[in-house]
Amino acid sequence: MTSTHAFWLAGRQVTGEDTFDVTSPWDGRLVGRVAVPTDAQVEEAVAAAYAVRDEFAATPAHVRAAALDHVSRRLAERTEEIARLISAENGKPIKWARGEVGRAVSVFRFAAEEARRFNGGEAQRLDTDPGGQGRLALTRRFPKGVVLGIAPFNFPLNLCAHKVAPAIAAGAPIILKPAPATPLSGLVIGELLAETELPAGSWSILPVPNDAMPALVQDERLPVISFTGSEKVGYAIMDSVPRKHCTLELGGNGAAVVLADWASDEDLDWAANRIATFSNYQGGQSCISVQRVVADASVYDRLLPRIVAAVEAQVTGDPSDDATDVGPLVSEDAAKRVETWVDEAVAAGAKLLTGGKRDGASYAPTVLTEVPADVTISCEEVFGPVLTVQRTDGEAEAFTAVNDSKYGLQAGVFTHDVQTAFRAHRALEVGGVVIGDVPSYRADQMPYGGAKQSGVGREGVRFAMEDYTYERVLVLTGLAL
């Protein structure tokens, strides 16, 4: 008999009146049963976070840093157990699940480091004008208030870490809502935080259903919302609370540009293998997975067969198998959506070079060429293991093709030329440009976010901490400077 996973309310483990089941997208087996917070329990968590906000903001840095260090160490100690949990509830191949745990270990470690050095204060002399003689300004950052963190299913541990760790480091209480499809990984963070000495109420992890979110989003006691997910939901949240601070990390349709100077056999083999791997990792369910390849005409004919071969070499199957590269999508409905988009593109004239087949929640790694510009898969984020390849002529045309999108999260540019790298950095309307690799590279300490419809604000531990806080100036008078 499966036991019920309790949730975390103001630092303590409790159960609700109802439960929901978490099942494996690979084989449908029951992974866990999770308690659902009642409305009264949600209210209790919000009230506790709001009540503790001043106390938590004043908590010494060493206390918050010690708690974050503890979570980092405990995640590392339990890597295999937690990776198996991620793989079971998400369908992520175990090799990628282990990598996700490793990244979360780093996120909490980075947050501990930032907690120790953040907000040291900046002094500014004011006697640069006569009226400021004898005065000194000291600027420090203070939390805006309680953070509501809303995490997605595709990185069920690490993207919860990216909500929780910066908030704790900055001294901001947080209420975390993990994705309903994958709540178990987020609840593990609660287990580890409960082993620390953080004030009661400074954190809660509430697996509330999506239809309960409007009331939380609009609660005035939660002035900061950090959301990772779809463009539609993210902007609906922002539109519903125009006076709140919203950080939105939304969709993308990441492009990998292969320019004319990336032309040796070794270069093309490297690009093809990286493109194949990162168009299909996590089942393509990553905001920065490779969805588009923009290849210069001079290398296109040599690159395309390499990409197809590398995609076909991806091992699909049971996500618990160490050999598996590509597992199922998060649900059969998600795979059906991808199937519909690919079928639409093919019906409109796109050429299917490999893949294009669905089996339950799994969708075969797919490569398309000659895709019309107006079909869904050209315009939207596919969030599946599908890759389109297009031919362009020259750098300027390639960069224009990348920018011909409502999204702008990250782009990869395969070039050896440093001047081209700087031109790409200036020209491409994205949040990050990766030179010599795919757009899928992310270091968890760097600023991460997009332009255009890919969101507002930045994740990355220190940058999220800045989003969660504001500057407050102290002016000292009568000083002998």
Side-chain angles (χ1 to χ4, degrees), residues 86 90-93 95-97 99-100 103 153-156 277-287 289 314 325-330 383-385 440:
I86 292 171
N90 173 275
K92 181 174 300 193
K95 65 170 68 174
W96 294 112
E100 180 175 347
R103 289 180 60 187
F153 70 82
N154 57 329
F155 289 86
T277 297
F278 287 97
S279 64
N280 295 293
Y281 87 126
Q282 329 288 341
Q285 298 169 122
S286 167
C287 296
S289 66
Q314 295 286 300
D325 299 310
V326 187
L329 275 70
V330 72
F383 228 58
S440 315

Side-chain angles (χ1 to χ4, degrees), residues 301-317:
D301 290 334
R302 295 167 58 215
L303 176 65
L304 182 58
R306 285 175 160 88
I307 290 175
V308 173
V311 167
E312 291 178 341
Q314 295 286 300
V315 177
T316 61

Side-chain angles (χ1 to χ4, degrees), residues 26 34 97 132 246 395 421:
W26 169 247
V34 178
C246 293
E395 175 189 305

Side-chain angles (χ1 to χ4, degrees), residues 52-75:
V52 82
R53 69 194 188 283
D54 291 337
E55 175 190 346
F56 193 43
T59 301
H62 71 86
V63 174
R64 288 179 276 116
L68 293 162
D69 272 331
H70 174 83
V71 175
S72 178
R73 286 192 302 270
R74 295 285 285 131
L75 285 171

Side-chain angles (χ1 to χ4, degrees), residues 15-213:
T15 60
E17 297 173 357
D18 297 321
T19 63
F20 66 93
D21 291 344
V22 179
T23 58
S24 165
W26 169 247
D27 57 14
R29 67 183 173 87
L30 180 64
V31 179
R33 186 162 287 130
V34 178
V36 179
T38 65
D39 291 345
Q41 288 169 327
V42 172
E43 166 59 28
E44 184 181 350
V46 173
Y50 186 75
V52 82
R53 69 194 188 283
D54 291 337
E55 175 190 346
F56 193 43
T59 301
H62 71 86
V63 174
R64 288 179 276 116
L68 293 162
D69 272 331
H70 174 83
V71 175
S72 178
R73 286 192 302 270
R74 295 285 285 131
L75 285 171
E77 291 168 0
R78 295 174 60 180
T79 292
E80 188 64 19
E81 169 203 346
I82 297 171
R84 294 286 171 185
L85 180 63
I86 292 171
S87 183
E89 70 171 344
N90 173 275
K92 181 174 300 193
I94 188 63
K95 65 170 68 174
W96 294 112
R98 292 187 185 109
E100 180 175 347
V101 179
R103 289 180 60 187
V105 168
S106 294
V107 167
F108 278 96
R109 188 183 74 249
F110 295 146
E113 295 166 355
E114 292 295 345
R116 293 182 174 98
R117 61 177 169 245
F118 186 74
N119 197 26
E122 179 182 348
Q124 182 180 16
R125 63 186 307 156
L126 302 177
D127 62 355
T128 50
D129 286 324
Q133 187 169 336
R135 297 178 186 265
L136 179 74
L138 179 67
T139 303
R140 297 167 61 198
R141 301 191 70 90
F142 293 87
K144 294 172 179 173
V146 183
V147 176
L148 173 61
I150 307 171
F153 70 82
N154 57 329
F155 289 86
L157 179 71
N158 196 43
L159 291 182
C160 286
H162 270 286
K163 307 302 181 191
V164 173
I168 291 173
I174 181 163
I175 293 174
L176 173 70
K177 178 203 175 300
T182 56
L184 302 176
S185 303
L187 292 173
V188 169
I189 293 176
E191 291 180 34
L192 306 185
L193 287 173
E195 298 170 353
T196 72
E197 297 180 0
L198 294 176
S202 60
W203 59 273
S204 292
I205 301 176
L206 305 178
V208 298
N210 288 339
D211 59 11
M213 284 310 297

Side-chain angles (χ1 to χ4, degrees), residues 115-428:
R116 293 182 174 98
R117 61 177 169 245
F118 186 74
N119 197 26
E122 179 182 348
Q124 182 180 16
R125 63 186 307 156
L126 302 177
D127 62 355
T128 50
D129 286 324
Q133 187 169 336
R135 297 178 186 265
L136 179 74
L138 179 67
T139 303
R140 297 167 61 198
R141 301 191 70 90
F142 293 87
K144 294 172 179 173
V146 183
V147 176
L148 173 61
I150 307 171
F153 70 82
N154 57 329
F155 289 86
L157 179 71
N158 196 43
L159 291 182
C160 286
H162 270 286
K163 307 302 181 191
V164 173
I168 291 173
I174 181 163
I175 293 174
L176 173 70
K177 178 203 175 300
T182 56
L184 302 176
S185 303
L187 292 173
V188 169
I189 293 176
E191 291 180 34
L192 306 185
L193 287 173
E195 298 170 353
T196 72
E197 297 180 0
L198 294 176
S202 60
W203 59 273
S204 292
I205 301 176
L206 305 178
V208 298
N210 288 339
D211 59 11
M213 284 310 297
L216 265 176
V217 165
Q218 294 168 22
D219 195 306
E220 293 182 356
R221 294 167 293 180
L222 309 176
V224 179
I225 298 174
S226 178
F227 171 85
T228 301
S230 72
E231 168 200 0
K232 179 181 178 180
V233 175
Y235 283 117
I237 288 173
M238 177 177 276
D239 291 344
S240 72
V241 285
R243 291 177 177 82
K244 289 194 178 189
H245 179 91
C246 293
T247 296
L248 306 178
E249 197 279 285
L250 307 177
N253 55 1
V257 179
V258 185
L259 294 175
D261 69 307
W262 200 270
S264 71
D265 288 341
E266 292 80 7
D267 283 345
L268 296 178
D269 287 343
W270 163 260
N273 284 315
R274 297 293 285 177
I275 288 166
T277 297
F278 287 97
S279 64
N280 295 293
Y281 87 126
Q282 329 288 341
Q285 298 169 122
S286 167
C287 296
I288 47 176
S289 66
V290 184
Q291 181 170 332
R292 300 182 288 155
V293 176
V294 180
D296 190 84
S298 64
V299 299
Y300 181 92
D301 290 334
R302 295 167 58 215
L303 176 65
L304 182 58
R306 285 175 160 88
I307 290 175
V308 173
V311 167
E312 291 178 341
Q314 295 286 300
V315 177
T316 61
D318 186 344
S320 67
D321 189 334
D322 283 353
T324 297
D325 299 310
V326 187
L329 275 70
V330 72
S331 67
E332 186 169 355
D333 284 345
K336 286 179 178 178
R337 177 189 55 77
V338 173
E339 180 181 42
T340 299
W341 289 13
V342 172
D343 289 350
E344 176 202 24
V346 172
K351 290 186 177 180
L352 176 66
L353 301 187
T354 190
K357 297 178 180 179
R358 181 181 65 83
D359 180 9
S362 296
Y363 196 82
T366 298
V367 179
L368 299 166
T369 61
E370 301 181 24
V371 181
D374 59 348
V375 298
T376 307
I377 215 162
S378 293
C379 305
E380 302 293 338
E381 178 181 38
V382 66
F383 228 58
V386 179
L387 182 66
T388 68
V389 187
Q390 70 181 102
R391 184 195 309 259
T392 54
D393 189 7
E395 175 189 305
E397 186 175 313
F399 291 171
T400 297
V402 174
N403 288 339
D404 186 20
S405 170
K406 66 179 180 179
Y407 296 113
L409 192 49
Q410 291 198 165
V413 180
F414 289 90
T415 181
H416 295 291
D417 187 88
V418 68
Q419 294 297 334
T420 301
F422 277 96
R423 286 194 297 271
H425 195 212
R426 179 174 294 278
L428 297 179

